[in-house]
């Protein structure tokens, strides 16, 4: 049953993505995939705003304070946590590099995992970056996007936040195909993959904290601003940072993946 529900969810969302995304050439109101000025397709805005409001309460009461408390941990320790979590995610990134037919990036991911696992204390130190093997992330949502699957309707997930039909399907797919939890199943380390994802989530929230507070304070409509920034960021991620291909234009989306002493 635990495996069946995600399959049903994915099937439902895939149908929604295929049926609900208007085609630019047939709909004057459709979001243009190659325009950063186009509006995001949000037919469930009422429900999304309600979930967004719930998430805001949780973030202000729990997640934000926890993330800011985490920020008091010396940054070298936070770097070690981030490096370990990223290294543990490398096998899944490698799968998506191959699925996208990008042999060069797949080779970088494989070499990073090999170097950091063997020489970096199981990934606690990102030795590979010091040799020019730059970190990158991939997920199933990006892979689907690379194959032309539209984003479908915008969604706000409880706790997890901004998403869309394609990326939500991607989360389900990644839950199934990530090899690390299977490799550690029924061992004393079986909870490590989940723990690393939680730690990486807190680390990411801490690094985004100032940007989130600024956006919250300066936006006329924080919901709409978050929605638009999410879609622009995902288009850029699918295009592997190519702004011309992503349609992100000159929008300045800060790189919060870079480690920084704060």
């Amino acid at each position: 049953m635990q495996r069946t529900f995600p399959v049903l969810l994915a099937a439902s969302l895939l149908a929604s993505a295929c049926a609900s995304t208007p085609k630019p050439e047939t709909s004057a109101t459709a979001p243009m995939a190659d325009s950063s000025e186009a509006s995001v397709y949000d037919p469930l805005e009422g429900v999304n705003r309600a979930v967004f409001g719930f998430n805001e309460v949780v973030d202000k009461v729990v997640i934000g304070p926890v993330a800011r408390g985490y920020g008091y941990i010396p940054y070298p320790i936070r770097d070690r946590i981030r490096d370990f979590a990223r290294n543990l995610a490398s096998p899944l990134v490698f799968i998506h590099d191959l699925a996208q037919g990008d042999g060069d990036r797949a080779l970088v991911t494989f070499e990073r995992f090999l170097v950091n696992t063997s020489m970096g204390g199981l990934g606690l130190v990102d030795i590979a970056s010091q040799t020019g093997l730059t970190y990158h992330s991939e997920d199933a949502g990006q892979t689907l996007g690379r194959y032309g699957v539209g984003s479908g309707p915008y969604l706000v997930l409880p706790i997890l936040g901004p998403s869309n039909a394609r990326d939500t399907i991607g989360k389900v797919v990644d839950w199934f195909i990530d090899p690390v939890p299977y490799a550690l199943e029924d061992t004393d380390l079986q909870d490590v993959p989940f723990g690393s994802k939680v730690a990486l989530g807190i680390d990411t929230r801490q690094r985004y904290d100032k940007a989130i507070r600024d956006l919250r304070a300066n936006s006329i409509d924080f919901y709409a601003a978050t929605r638009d920034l999410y879609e622009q960021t995902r288009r850029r991620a699918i295009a592997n940072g190519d702004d011309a291909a992503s349609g992100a234009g000159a929008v300045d989306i800060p790189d919060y993946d870079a480690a920084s002493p704060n």
Side-chain angles (χ1 to χ4, degrees):
M1 191 64 183
Q2 290 178 339
R3 296 289 179 182
T4 302
F5 175 73
V7 172
L8 295 176
L9 175 63
S12 174
L13 288 169
L14 182 58
S16 176
C18 294
S20 302
T21 304
K23 294 184 176 3
E25 64 271 23
T26 60
S27 172
T29 61
M32 299 297 291
D34 59 353
S35 172
S36 61
E37 300 298 327
S39 60
V40 177
Y41 182 53
D42 190 5
L44 302 175
E45 183 171 348
V47 175
N48 284 335
R49 283 186 179 273
V51 178
F52 184 82
F54 167 77
N55 287 350
E56 275 287 270
V57 172
V58 174
D59 186 77
K60 290 177 180 179
V61 174
V62 180
I63 299 176
V66 168
R68 285 187 284 277
Y70 175 81
Y72 285 103
I73 297 174
Y75 77 86
I77 297 177
R78 284 182 276 137
D79 284 350
R80 302 292 72 75
I81 294 172
R82 185 186 313 126
D83 290 345
F84 178 80
R86 285 178 170 178
N87 192 60
L88 207 61
S90 293
L92 183 59
V93 174
F94 178 72
I95 289 172
H96 288 302
D97 286 334
L98 291 179
Q100 294 174 27
D102 197 330
D104 290 340
R105 284 163 70 92
L107 181 59
V108 168
T109 300
F110 178 77
E111 290 178 339
R112 280 181 53 84
F113 182 70
L114 186 64
V115 169
N116 287 337
T117 301
S118 61
M119 301 174 59
L122 298 179
L124 285 170
V125 181
D126 186 0
I127 300 293
S129 287
Q130 301 174 23
T131 66
L133 297 170
T134 306
Y135 165 81
H136 69 272
S137 177
E138 296 289 346
D139 56 53
Q142 290 169 252
T143 297
L144 290 170
R146 295 287 288 185
Y147 279 94
V149 176
S151 62
Y154 178 73
L155 301 172
V156 180
L157 305 179
I159 309 299
L160 298 178
S163 187
N164 54 46
R166 180 197 59 222
D167 291 348
T168 303
I169 293 167
K171 293 180 190 301
V172 176
V173 171
D174 283 340
W175 185 77
F176 273 101
I177 69 173
D178 188 351
V180 174
Y182 292 108
L184 299 179
E185 195 170 14
D186 297 327
T187 72
D188 293 338
L189 302 176
Q190 64 181 3
D191 294 328
V192 170
F194 177 76
S196 72
K197 287 181 173 61
V198 171
L200 189 58
I202 295 172
D203 177 82
T204 301
R205 176 61 181 82
Q206 186 275 325
R207 288 182 290 125
Y208 271 91
D209 186 59
K210 185 179 185 301
I212 290 172
R213 285 187 289 170
D214 288 347
L215 191 64
R216 186 182 279 147
N218 298 320
S219 299
I220 297 175
D221 185 344
F222 184 43
Y223 168 83
T226 302
R227 177 187 62 195
D228 294 345
L229 183 58
Y230 174 79
E231 290 295 335
Q232 292 169 25
T233 303
R234 289 302 286 172
R235 284 199 298 270
R236 176 177 285 184
I238 290 168
N240 291 336
D242 184 343
D243 290 343
S246 70
V251 176
D252 182 17
I253 303 174
D255 179 11
Y256 292 100
D257 280 332
S260 59
N262 53 49

